[in-house]
Amino acid sequence: MNHNILSYIHQESPIHRLTGAAKLIGFILWSLTAMITYDTRILVVMFILGILIFLLSKVEFRYISFVFYIFLLFLFINNIAIFLFEPMQGVEMYHTKHEFLHIIGHYNLTAEQLFYQFNLTLKYLTIIPLALLFMVTTHPSEFAASLNKIGVSYRIAYAVALALRYIPDIQRDYQNISLAQQARGIDLSKKQKLTKKLRYASSILMPLIFSSLNRIETISAAIELRGFGSQKRRSWYHERPFTKADYLAIMLIILLFVFSMIITFLDGNRFYNPFR
């Protein structure tokens, strides 16, 4: 079965059986842990746990591979930019200097800089895959109910749900418009030159934009006619009560967060320094 990028994928797995609220709370704590700590040991453990969680979800990697590879490209560009603009950031952070190679000018390849950027890369690899997994294992309506359950206004939560529901619609419209334009003689195959493909892209993007604006207007009119937002509270069809598995998952992520903070700030510094 073909799945749209970042759309909900139904599977029978322990991750899917967790409620959206439990997954949201867990992901927030997971992200906070990865963002706060610079302890490589904790980040490596979280990276391994992330792989195990992904395997536990039974979601095939090919469903998120496209977005993940784009993320890796931006991660590579980010690492290059960090080295170009702050080549001595690691030295300033760890207060030591072990130089491997002098490149040019003040650009020196140091163990400290490599270790610093390795930690940054681990942070991204710890958070982003779990973010993608959260999106494909949580139904948009349940996600909206989860946001509302933790205190977010139901108006904002519903807007988020509409945005997530809209992703597959945009992809479907793009595919339909692309096929229609190719039927009219526009060549978008791999054999076509990149410059021409970019020029032909406008023949797809403009109809896509207008169809999207038309759908937005239709949805806005529909929810306004139904009096959306007139009440202080609303019920949710996809809202589910917490189960024992949800409480257990939240307890485990809280324990991971507390343990990570203790290890991170044990010596009064959140940066693990192997060069001392």
Side-chain angles (χ1 to χ4, degrees):
M1 180 183 297
N2 293 326
H3 290 272
N4 291 310
I5 299 172
L6 296 185
S7 62
Y8 173 68
I9 301 172
H10 178 71
Q11 291 281 8
E12 289 297 329
S13 75
I15 305 301
H16 285 77
R17 285 193 288 271
L18 293 175
T19 62
K23 282 185 278 190
L24 180 61
I25 294 170
F27 176 67
I28 291 173
L29 289 174
W30 180 276
S31 300
L32 283 175
T33 305
M35 287 188 289
I36 292 173
T37 188
Y38 267 89
D39 193 306
T40 312
R41 299 164 297 183
I42 295 174
L43 291 173
V44 169
V45 170
M46 291 182 68
F47 176 70
I48 296 173
L49 287 175
I51 295 176
L52 295 177
I53 292 172
F54 189 89
L55 294 175
L56 197 62
S57 72
K58 299 180 181 178
V59 173
E60 296 183 33
F61 177 71
R62 61 190 177 93
Y63 293 142
I64 65 168
S65 60
F66 179 75
V67 179
F68 185 72
Y69 290 142
I70 292 177
F71 153 70
L72 289 181
L73 175 62
F74 280 101
L75 181 58
F76 175 75
I77 295 173
N78 181 62
N79 274 301
I80 296 297
I82 290 173
F83 183 76
L84 289 177
F85 290 101
E86 291 291 343
M88 303 302 289
Q89 181 65 39
V91 174
E92 296 175 7
M93 185 176 296
Y94 298 111
H95 307 293
T96 57
K97 185 177 181 180
H98 297 82
E99 184 176 327
F100 288 146
L101 177 67
H102 174 71
I103 302 175
I104 186 174
H106 67 289
Y107 289 102
N108 300 312
L109 190 62
T110 63
E112 288 78 4
Q113 184 68 18
L114 290 174
F115 187 68
Y116 165 66
Q117 293 193 215
F118 172 71
N119 283 326
L120 285 179
T121 301
L122 265 182
K123 282 175 175 286
Y124 285 114
L125 291 176
T126 300
I127 296 175
I128 300 300
L130 267 293
L132 298 177
L133 184 64
F134 174 74
M135 294 184 68
V136 299
T137 59
T138 308
H139 194 278
S141 295
E142 188 181 355
F143 180 46
S146 304
L147 288 174
N148 187 227
K149 196 169 187 177
I150 65 173
V152 178
S153 169
Y154 77 84
R155 299 172 182 85
I156 299 175
Y158 196 77
V160 172
L162 282 178
L164 292 176
R165 284 177 175 273
Y166 195 42
I167 293 175
D169 292 337
I170 292 178
Q171 295 176 56
R172 184 172 57 252
D173 286 349
Y174 174 84
Q175 292 169 0
N176 292 336
I177 294 171
S178 176
L179 291 173
Q181 297 294 43
Q182 290 179 61
R184 292 184 175 92
I186 295 178
D187 186 8
L188 297 173
S189 64
K190 296 180 180 179
K191 298 179 181 179
Q192 188 62 267
K193 293 182 179 179
L194 179 61
T195 53
K196 286 189 176 182
K197 290 180 70 173
L198 292 175
R199 188 167 70 249
Y200 291 153
S202 61
S203 64
I204 298 177
L205 292 178
M206 293 307 295
L208 182 62
I209 291 172
F210 285 123
S211 67
S212 300
L213 292 174
N214 183 60
R215 182 177 283 109
I216 291 171
E217 184 179 357
T218 302
I219 294 174
S220 299
I223 63 177
E224 186 176 355
L225 289 171
R226 285 170 172 79
F228 180 81
S230 60
Q231 304 296 323
K232 292 183 179 181
R233 298 176 61 86
R234 65 158 289 171
S235 59
W236 299 91
Y237 179 77
H238 284 276
E239 184 178 7
R240 292 187 293 157
F242 275 6
T243 62
K244 292 181 180 179
D246 295 306
Y247 288 115
L248 178 61
I250 293 174
M251 286 179 58
L252 289 175
I253 194 66
I254 290 175
L255 288 174
L256 174 65
F257 177 77
V258 172
F259 179 75
S260 300
M261 293 304 99
I262 292 174
I263 297 298
T264 298
F265 296 101
L266 187 62
D267 58 354
N269 190 349
R270 68 191 184 107
F271 298 96
Y272 172 66
N273 190 349
F275 302 104
R276 290 181 299 184

